[in-house]
């Protein structure tokens, strides 16, 4: 008797447990399981929805372009009522390009993957940028980016390190074969926008540049991982372009082009448009880019680049640390650049300035439009296994001036060049730089090793307060 009772209890228990399991599963299938979400953002949202609410299917095969467009359209109605958040749950969400809206957050679950469609008709063609006059790959228009927004305010793209996969291999192949009529798309482009946050995401295999904020202000980019094959064409990491008040931090980039490229328009188009990139902070960036720079300034800099503060940069197997790229016809300026703290390993050049970078928009560039390169400060740099310490080439009749280098220790590779420094048409000063730099960087003696400027006053972007947003959702 006692035995049977026990059996009954166990049997009933098992039935109960399995029922509960079925209930749990059913709830999840019906979209009922609560999900806790918490993150820091420039703004929290009053309304929240899932891409599934708009017919999205995360099976990696169904095209969701319409679902994304419908979601953003519907949620844009909440812009003046506390804003809205679109959550992308776990799954593979194939989609063509879609546009964002104001007072809006796109949030990617940690196991969410946005997969860029490889059908070219999913990528409408838009006008070239006015400050470029042309597409970057080809004259005329350009394919719109996967995630695009223009004339927006208060827009957030974030997640728990969810993934946006550009599936770029097809584009790279078509580009190499010269088969594309228009310029390749970017992964994320925001134009004419104010108050932008892009954070905690992984971006894979962009067709071209990864993140391109342009003609925008008050931008925070943080916690981004960008991965692309080191041989993929023009897969720049992050390209702030004619933007002001930007903070870019805590990011890890492996790419086939510059990890960060600071820009402001191209030749006569950029000069005419006249919109500089200014007040930019780049902090705690790790870069691997064997054929390009950790941070490039230019080559498109015709609207000017001013007040860039670069701190705590790590680069490994990267062609150069900081590179200034410009040329006759660019006009514009690169000035008040401050670099403090770089750790570099296995580099071709630590310092590189190029005054004869070609790559013109067209043949109408003005040969009298000379760039002004002035006030470039580098301090506290340690580099190992370097082929050339510096190649600094200004422009004849237009020297690059006010270059300052202090507290720099460069360990040369076994197979390094005989002359670790080559300098032409530049002027500046140095202190405690090893190996001893070229004569054009006049040595001020070892006591001045802390001499190169780095601003101590903060920028407005530093005082933006992040809010803690938390949601309990049914995904
Ligand atoms: C997205 O914005 C661009 C530029 O304003 C526009 O050409 C395009 O039609 C928009 N796409 C959708 C789906 O609304
Ligand atoms: C977006 O803003 C720019 C710059 O202010 C303006 O020239 C353009 O007309 C605006 N576009 C739209 C669609 O409002
Ligand atoms: C985000 O994901 C990428 C790719 O899986 C990984 O390399 C990176 O370490 C992750 N970042 C964080 C903060 O977890
Ligand atoms: C986002 O990344 C930061 C580090 O950059 C980390 O402190 C934070 O916890 C992350 N947030 C989420 C929601 O993963
Ligand atoms: C030094 O750099 C060379 C390439 O210039 C590379 O082949 C070698 O592995 C590097 N050595 C170390 C110790 O990283
Ligand atoms: C020189 O740079 C190192 C880091 O590379 C730093 O620890 C040290 O404080 C710097 N010295 C001076 C005088 O600034």
């Amino acid at each position: 008797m006692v035995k049977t009772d026990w059996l009954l209890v166990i049997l009933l228990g098992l039935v109960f447990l399995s029922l509960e399991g079925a209930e749990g599963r059913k709830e999840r299938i019906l979209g009922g399981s609560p999900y806790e979400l918490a993150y820091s953002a420039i703004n929290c949202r009053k309304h929240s929805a899932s891409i599934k609410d708009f017919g999205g299917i995360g099976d990696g095969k169904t095209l969701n372009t319409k679902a994304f467009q419908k979601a953003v359209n519907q949620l844009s109605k909440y812009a003046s009522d506390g804003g809205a958040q679109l959550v992308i749950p776990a799954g593979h969400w194939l989609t063509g390009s879609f546009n964002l809206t104001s007072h809006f957050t796109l949030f990617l679950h940690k196991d969410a993957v946005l997969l860029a469609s490889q059908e070219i008709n999913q990528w409408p063609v838009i006008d070239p940028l006015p400050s470029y006059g042309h597409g970057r790959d080809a004259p005329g228009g350009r394919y719109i980016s996967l995630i695009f927004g223009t004339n927006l305010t208060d827009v957030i793209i974030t997640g728990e390190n969810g993934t946006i996969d550009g599936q770029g291999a097809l584009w790279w192949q078509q580009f190499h074969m010269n088969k594309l009529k228009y310029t390749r798309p970017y992964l994320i482009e925001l134009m004419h926008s104010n108050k932008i946050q892009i954070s905690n995401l992984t971006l894979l295999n962009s067709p071209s540049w990864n993140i391109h904020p342009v003609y925008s202000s008050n931008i925070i980019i943080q916690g981004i991982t960008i991965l692309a094959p080191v041989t993929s064409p023009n897969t720049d990491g992050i390209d702030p372009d004619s933007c002001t008040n930007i903070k870019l931090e805590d990011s890890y980039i492996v790419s086939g082009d510059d990890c960060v490229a600071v820009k402001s328009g191209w030749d006569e188009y950029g000069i005419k448009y006249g919109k500089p990139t200014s007040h930019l902070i780049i902090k705690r960036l790790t870069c691997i880019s064997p054929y390009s720079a950790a941070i490039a300034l230019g080559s498109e800099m015709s609207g000017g680049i001013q007040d860039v503060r670069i701190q705590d940069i790590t680069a490994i197997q990267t062609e150069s640390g900081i590179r200034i790229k410009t040329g006759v016809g660019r006009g514009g300026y690169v000035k008040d650049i401050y670099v403090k703290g770089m750790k570099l390993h296995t580099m071709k050049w630590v310092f590189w300035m190029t005054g004869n970078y070609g790559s013109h928009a067209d043949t109408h560039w003005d040969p009298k439009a000379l760039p002004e390169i002035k006030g470039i400060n580098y301090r506290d740099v340690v580099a190992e296994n370097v082929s050339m310490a510096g190649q600094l080439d200004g422009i004849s009749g237009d020297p690059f001036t006010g270059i300052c280098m202090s507290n720099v220790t460069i360990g040369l590779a076994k197979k390094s060049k005989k002359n670790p420094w080559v300098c032409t048409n530049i002027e500046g000063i140095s202190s405690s730089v090893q190996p001893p730099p070229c004569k054009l960087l006049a040595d001020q003696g070892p006591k001045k090793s802390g001499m190169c400027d780095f601003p101590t006053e903060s920028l407005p972007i530093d005082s933006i307060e992040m809010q803690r947003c938390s949601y309990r959702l049914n995904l």
Side-chain angles (χ1 to χ4, degrees):
M1 242 352 222
V2 174
K3 239 181 182 171
T4 334
D5 273 344
W6 271 111
L7 252 175
L8 207 71
V9 168
I10 290 167
L11 272 173
L12 278 172
L14 281 175
V15 167
F16 184 75
L17 275 176
S18 71
L19 271 177
E20 210 187 38
E23 262 323 290
R25 275 200 300 278
K26 198 162 135 207
E27 264 198 358
R28 221 159 291 141
I29 290 160
L30 295 177
S33 66
Y35 188 76
E36 306 276 350
L37 211 100
Y39 58 89
S40 301
I42 53 172
N43 264 313
C44 305
R45 309 302 182 195
K46 191 166 147 192
H47 304 272
S48 215
S50 157
I51 187 65
K52 288 185 185 170
D53 301 336
F54 303 91
I57 298 174
D59 62 0
K61 294 184 195 121
T62 310
L63 192 59
N64 291 293
T65 315
K66 290 227 164 69
F68 277 98
Q69 290 173 354
K70 193 167 145 199
V72 176
N73 266 337
Q74 296 283 323
L75 296 174
S76 69
K77 292 174 186 153
Y78 296 115
S80 55
D81 177 31
Q85 161 178 262
L86 178 65
V87 177
I88 315 304
H92 285 66
W93 308 88
L94 183 68
T95 183
S97 166
F98 61 94
N99 293 344
L100 302 181
T101 187
S102 292
H103 306 291
F104 179 80
T105 300
L106 180 69
F107 184 93
L108 271 67
H109 178 280
K110 67 177 168 43
D111 300 317
V113 182
L114 283 196
L115 278 177
S117 164
Q118 301 202 300
E119 287 170 47
I120 215 149
N121 65 4
Q122 291 294 310
W123 304 81
V125 175
I126 57 170
D127 287 341
L129 293 163
S131 59
Y132 283 66
H134 289 244
R136 204 61 188 77
D137 295 343
R142 51 203 196 102
Y143 294 105
I144 195 168
S145 60
L146 181 66
I147 301 178
F148 178 80
T150 190
N151 301 71
L152 303 183
T153 174
D154 177 17
V155 43
I156 302 172
I157 308 171
T158 188
E160 303 155 314
N161 203 19
T163 302
I164 303 176
D165 183 348
Q167 306 207 82
L170 183 86
W171 292 97
W172 306 332
Q173 202 180 54
Q174 300 263 310
F175 171 74
H176 283 311
M177 285 157 57
N178 231 332
K179 278 195 172 164
L180 293 171
K181 207 166 151 203
Y182 303 106
T183 294
R184 283 165 292 159
Y186 307 143
L187 274 192
I188 300 175
E189 180 172 75
L190 291 166
M191 266 171 81
H192 300 299
S193 295
N194 184 25
K195 298 190 187 140
I196 297 169
Q197 174 184 344
I198 303 173
S199 57
N200 297 62
L201 297 169
T202 294
L203 309 186
L204 302 179
N205 299 329
S206 177
S208 178
W209 303 354
N210 280 271
I211 301 180
H212 185 225
V214 57
Y215 321 134
S216 294
S217 53
N218 300 310
I219 304 164
I220 295 177
I221 299 176
Q222 56 189 197
I224 300 289
T225 301
I226 294 178
L227 307 172
V230 295
T231 52
S232 56
N234 313 107
T235 47
D236 298 24
I238 303 168
D239 290 17
D241 196 350
S242 295
C243 287
T244 187
N245 261 321
I246 316 148
K247 184 163 71 175
L248 199 168
E249 60 188 13
D250 297 309
S251 293
Y252 176 84
I253 301 176
V254 182
S255 87
D257 209 318
D258 303 321
C259 287
V260 173
V262 184
K263 299 176 184 286
S264 66
W266 205 7
D267 291 350
E268 67 273 22
Y269 303 97
I271 295 169
K272 185 163 174 228
Y273 200 74
K275 206 164 179 345
T277 287
S278 61
H279 310 306
L280 165 62
I281 297 168
I282 305 173
K283 265 196 296 209
R284 298 184 299 270
L285 168 76
T286 301
C287 169
I288 300 177
S289 180
Y291 306 105
S292 291
I295 300 174
L297 304 163
S299 81
E300 307 90 330
M301 39 60 71
S302 303
I305 295 173
Q306 185 168 23
D307 188 7
V308 181
R309 306 172 183 192
I310 298 169
Q311 214 171 347
D312 298 332
I313 306 301
T314 304
I316 313 152
Q317 285 170 33
T318 296
E319 191 180 39
S320 60
I322 310 283
R323 184 176 184 198
I324 296 177
K325 304 193 255 188
T326 187
V328 172
R330 283 287 195 272
Y333 51 84
V334 176
K335 57 189 179 189
D336 308 331
I337 309 299
Y338 311 97
V339 181
K340 182 177 177 173
M342 289 204 291
K343 285 198 194 109
L344 311 172
H345 205 287
T346 305
M347 312 285 288
K348 208 155 168 191
W349 290 277
V350 172
F351 304 103
W352 198 9
M353 296 183 185
T354 308
N356 64 352
Y357 202 87
S359 176
H360 291 292
D362 53 33
T363 55
H364 306 304
W365 53 276
D366 176 3
K368 292 201 204 82
L370 301 177
E372 182 189 13
I373 312 300
K374 186 179 156 188
I376 316 292
N377 302 277
Y378 308 97
R379 55 179 292 180
D380 307 348
V381 177
V382 179
E384 290 291 338
N385 199 28
V386 166
S387 312
M388 279 240 0
Q391 169 105 31
L392 310 175
D393 294 313
I395 295 170
S396 162
D398 175 32
F400 297 175
T401 63
I403 298 165
C404 184
M405 256 179 221
S406 67
N407 189 21
V408 173
T409 309
I410 298 171
L412 294 171
K414 284 206 184 80
K415 280 193 195 160
S416 60
K417 294 269 162 63
K418 207 163 127 221
N419 271 332
W421 297 88
V422 172
C423 306
T424 59
N425 302 300
I426 61 145
E427 170 262 283
I429 53 176
S430 63
S431 168
S432 301
V433 176
Q434 279 302 329
C438 49
K439 295 278 181 299
L440 294 176
L441 293 173
D443 190 356
Q444 308 297 297
K447 286 198 180 122
K448 298 279 182 73
S449 62
M451 75 179 172
C452 300
D453 272 352
F454 194 88
T456 48
E457 83 284 6
S458 67
L459 288 174
I461 193 70
D462 268 321
S463 57
I464 290 191
E465 277 190 37
M466 300 292 266
Q467 301 180 33
R468 193 76 193 155
C469 307
S470 53
Y471 306 86
R472 194 179 160 82
L473 305 170
N474 291 323
L475 290 187

Coordinates of all heavy atoms in Angstrom, one line a residue, residues 39 41 43-45 84-87 101 103-107 154-158 471:
Y39 N 19.1 48.6 -19.9 CA 20.3 49.2 -20.5 C 20.3 50.7 -20.3 O 19.3 51.3 -19.9 CB 20.3 48.8 -22.0 CG 19.1 49.3 -22.8 CD1 19.1 50.6 -23.4 CD2 18.0 48.5 -23.0 CE1 18.0 51.0 -24.2 CE2 16.9 48.9 -23.7 CZ 16.9 50.1 -24.3 OH 15.9 50.6 -25.1
A41 N 20.7 54.5 -21.8 CA 20.4 55.2 -23.0 C 20.3 56.7 -22.8 O 20.0 57.1 -21.7 CB 19.2 54.6 -23.7
N43 N 17.8 58.2 -23.8 CA 16.4 58.4 -23.5 C 15.7 57.0 -23.4 O 16.0 56.1 -24.2 CB 15.7 59.2 -24.6 CG 15.5 60.7 -24.2 OD1 15.1 61.0 -23.1 ND2 15.9 61.5 -25.2
C44 N 14.8 56.9 -22.4 CA 14.0 55.6 -22.4 C 12.7 55.9 -23.1 O 12.3 57.0 -23.4 CB 13.7 55.3 -20.9 SG 15.2 55.2 -19.9
R45 N 12.0 54.8 -23.5 CA 10.7 55.0 -24.3 C 9.5 54.5 -23.5 O 9.6 53.6 -22.8 CB 10.9 54.2 -25.6 CG 12.1 54.4 -26.4 CD 12.3 55.8 -26.8 NE 13.5 56.0 -27.6 CZ 14.1 57.2 -27.9 NH1 13.6 58.3 -27.4 NH2 15.2 57.2 -28.6
A84 N 9.1 55.4 -28.9 CA 8.8 54.0 -28.9 C 10.1 53.2 -29.2 O 11.1 53.7 -29.7 CB 7.9 53.7 -30.1
Q85 N 10.0 51.9 -28.7 CA 11.2 51.0 -28.9 C 10.7 49.8 -29.7 O 9.7 49.2 -29.4 CB 11.6 50.6 -27.5 CG 12.4 49.3 -27.4 CD 12.9 49.0 -26.0 OE1 14.0 49.3 -25.6 NE2 12.0 48.4 -25.3
L86 N 11.5 49.5 -30.7 CA 11.2 48.2 -31.5 C 12.3 47.2 -31.1 O 13.5 47.4 -31.3 CB 11.3 48.5 -33.0 CG 11.1 47.3 -33.9 CD1 9.7 46.8 -33.7 CD2 11.4 47.6 -35.3
V87 N 11.8 46.1 -30.5 CA 12.7 45.0 -30.0 C 12.8 43.9 -31.1 O 11.8 43.5 -31.6 CB 12.2 44.5 -28.7 CG1 13.0 43.3 -28.2 CG2 12.1 45.5 -27.6
T101 N 13.1 56.5 -37.4 CA 12.3 57.7 -37.1 C 12.8 58.4 -35.8 O 13.7 57.9 -35.2 CB 10.8 57.3 -37.1 OG1 10.0 58.5 -37.0 CG2 10.5 56.4 -35.8
H103 N 12.8 60.0 -31.9 CA 12.4 59.5 -30.6 C 12.1 58.0 -30.6 O 11.0 57.5 -30.2 CB 11.1 60.3 -30.1 CG 11.3 61.7 -30.1 ND1 12.2 62.4 -29.2 CD2 10.8 62.7 -30.9 CE1 12.2 63.7 -29.5 NE2 11.4 63.9 -30.5
F104 N 13.1 57.3 -31.1 CA 12.9 55.9 -31.5 C 14.2 55.1 -31.1 O 15.3 55.6 -31.2 CB 12.7 55.8 -33.0 CG 12.5 54.4 -33.5 CD1 11.3 53.7 -33.4 CD2 13.6 53.7 -34.1 CE1 11.1 52.4 -33.8 CE2 13.4 52.4 -34.5 CZ 12.2 51.8 -34.4
T105 N 13.9 53.8 -30.6 CA 15.0 52.9 -30.2 C 14.9 51.6 -31.0 O 13.8 51.0 -30.9 CB 15.1 52.7 -28.7 OG1 15.2 53.9 -28.0 CG2 16.2 51.7 -28.3
L106 N 15.9 51.2 -31.6 CA 15.9 49.9 -32.2 C 16.8 49.0 -31.3 O 18.0 49.4 -31.1 CB 16.6 49.9 -33.6 CG 16.7 48.6 -34.3 CD1 15.3 48.0 -34.7 CD2 17.5 48.7 -35.6
F107 N 16.2 48.0 -30.7 CA 17.0 47.2 -29.7 C 17.1 45.7 -30.2 O 16.1 45.1 -30.5 CB 16.2 47.2 -28.3 CG 16.9 46.5 -27.3 CD1 17.8 47.2 -26.4 CD2 16.8 45.1 -27.1 CE1 18.5 46.5 -25.4 CE2 17.5 44.4 -26.1 CZ 18.4 45.1 -25.3
D154 N 16.9 62.3 -31.6 CA 16.8 61.4 -30.6 C 16.5 60.0 -31.1 O 15.4 59.4 -31.1 CB 15.7 61.8 -29.6 CG 15.4 60.8 -28.5 OD1 16.2 59.9 -28.2 OD2 14.3 60.9 -27.9
V155 N 17.6 59.3 -31.6 CA 17.5 58.0 -32.2 C 18.6 57.1 -31.6 O 19.7 57.5 -31.5 CB 17.4 58.0 -33.8 CG1 18.4 59.0 -34.3 CG2 17.6 56.7 -34.4
I156 N 18.2 55.9 -31.3 CA 19.1 54.9 -30.6 C 19.1 53.6 -31.3 O 18.0 53.1 -31.6 CB 18.6 54.7 -29.1 CG1 18.6 56.1 -28.4 CG2 19.5 53.7 -28.4 CD1 18.0 56.0 -27.0
I157 N 20.3 53.1 -31.6 CA 20.4 51.7 -32.1 C 21.2 51.0 -31.1 O 22.4 51.3 -30.9 CB 21.0 51.7 -33.5 CG1 20.3 52.6 -34.4 CG2 21.0 50.2 -34.1 CD1 21.0 52.8 -35.8
T158 N 20.7 50.0 -30.4 CA 21.5 49.4 -29.3 C 21.0 47.9 -29.2 O 20.2 47.4 -29.9 CB 21.4 50.2 -28.0 OG1 22.3 49.6 -27.1 CG2 20.0 50.1 -27.4
Y471 N 12.6 47.4 -18.9 CA 11.4 47.1 -19.4 C 11.1 45.6 -19.1 O 12.0 44.8 -18.9 CB 11.4 47.2 -21.0 CG 11.8 48.5 -21.5 CD1 13.2 48.8 -21.7 CD2 10.9 49.5 -21.8 CE1 13.6 50.0 -22.1 CE2 11.3 50.7 -22.3 CZ 12.6 51.0 -22.5 OH 13.0 52.2 -22.9

